[in-house]
Amino acid sequence: MNKAEILSFFTILRDDNPHPTTELIYSTPFELLVAVLLSAQATDKGVNKATVPMFKVANTPEAIAALGVDGIKNYIKTIGLFNTKAENLYKTCQILIEKFNSVIPENRADLESLPGVGRKTANVILNTAFKQPTMAVDTHIFRVGNRTGLAPGKDVLEVEQELLKRIPKDFMLDAHHWLILLGRYICVARSPKCAACLVYNECQFKDKTA
């Protein structure tokens, strides 16, 4: 995809959805961190089903740590890998209290020092909570980047780096949300809905359907 096609691609997505956001339900950077930490191999709807009731009872590092690992498990047991996630969330809350005065750090290194927080999760927090122009590449964005020709790469880091280089600055802050929504609902893994795609003409996918 050349520069003109990329500009058209994101202009179309912006015009259709000027203020995109995550489908995770949260009201603070900490709640977002918890939701994203729990979202690996789970749907946003599944995460929301667990976190909304939990946040009514506990939505600070102190309150969630006070639940203990078993208490956390009771809220998130419907989410995949809930045992490991409960352990990681408990430890993350302890570190936030002891090391960061219960404030979510605004830099990648400190975020990635938290249990269960990898590069993708850190990028989501930096972008969505702190409005930094980062790119969190999940399976949807990896697929869209490669399939459309927007940012081909052999792994998520390569796709991330290509997206950061290719996406015009004016679109960078919201690009993560546009791409994930495109991949989640239109450019799906099996039988992509090409006929319903707003960026059909810009897409370079050789096997796109009419």
Side-chain angles (χ1 to χ4, degrees):
M1 206 180 286
N2 60 38
K3 287 184 178 181
E5 290 165 335
I6 292 172
L7 178 60
S8 177
F9 182 96
F10 283 103
T11 299
I12 290 168
L13 294 179
R14 181 180 63 185
D15 289 348
D16 179 65
N17 185 4
H19 305 291
T21 188
T22 177
E23 293 183 317
L24 293 169
I25 297 172
Y26 74 99
S27 59
T28 66
F30 174 69
E31 288 186 0
L32 179 63
L33 175 64
V34 173
V36 179
L37 189 153
L38 298 176
S39 69
Q41 298 183 40
T43 65
D44 286 0
K45 288 182 180 178
V47 172
N48 291 337
K49 186 177 179 180
T51 56
V52 169
M54 182 170 69
F55 289 156
K56 290 179 180 178
V57 175
N59 70 340
T60 65
E62 292 83 359
I64 288 184
L67 292 175
V69 174
D70 288 338
I72 295 170
K73 286 181 183 179
N74 284 335
Y75 282 103
I76 70 168
K77 58 189 176 184
T78 57
I79 299 175
L81 307 175
F82 73 92
N83 286 312
T84 299
K85 291 176 180 179
E87 295 276 358
N88 285 335
L89 179 53
Y90 178 73
K91 292 175 184 176
T92 284
C93 288
Q94 288 184 311
I95 293 171
L96 286 172
I97 294 165
E98 295 166 5
K99 187 175 179 181
F100 298 106
N101 197 29
S102 297
V103 176
I104 306 302
E106 297 186 30
N107 67 84
R108 184 192 310 284
D110 285 340
L111 284 169
E112 289 188 20
S113 73
L114 301 171
V117 177
R119 185 179 183 88
K120 184 190 77 173
T121 297
N123 280 339
V124 172
I125 303 304
L126 293 173
N127 177 257
T128 304
F130 300 123
K131 306 305 179 186
Q132 296 184 24
T134 59
M135 176 55 63
V137 178
D138 67 352
T139 54
H140 296 301
I141 294 179
F142 181 77
R143 179 174 64 254
V144 169
N146 276 286
R147 181 183 278 168
T148 64
L150 174 63
K154 63 181 183 295
D155 55 41
V156 292
L157 182 57
E158 188 172 340
V159 170
E160 176 189 326
Q161 292 170 339
E162 287 298 310
L163 288 169
L164 290 173
K165 284 192 298 184
R166 296 183 179 205
I167 296 173
K169 184 178 180 180
D170 289 348
F171 300 100
M172 194 64 237
L173 190 60
D174 292 321
H176 163 75
H177 298 303
W178 287 318
L179 294 176
I180 199 169
L181 291 170
L182 182 64
R184 184 175 290 166
Y185 296 112
I186 301 296
C187 196
V188 294
R190 296 182 182 179
S191 303
K193 303 171 185 178
C194 299
C197 184
L198 295 173
V199 290
Y200 181 96
N201 292 330
E202 289 73 19
C203 177
Q204 306 294 310
F205 184 38
K206 294 179 180 178
D207 298 321
K208 62 185 174 183
T209 55

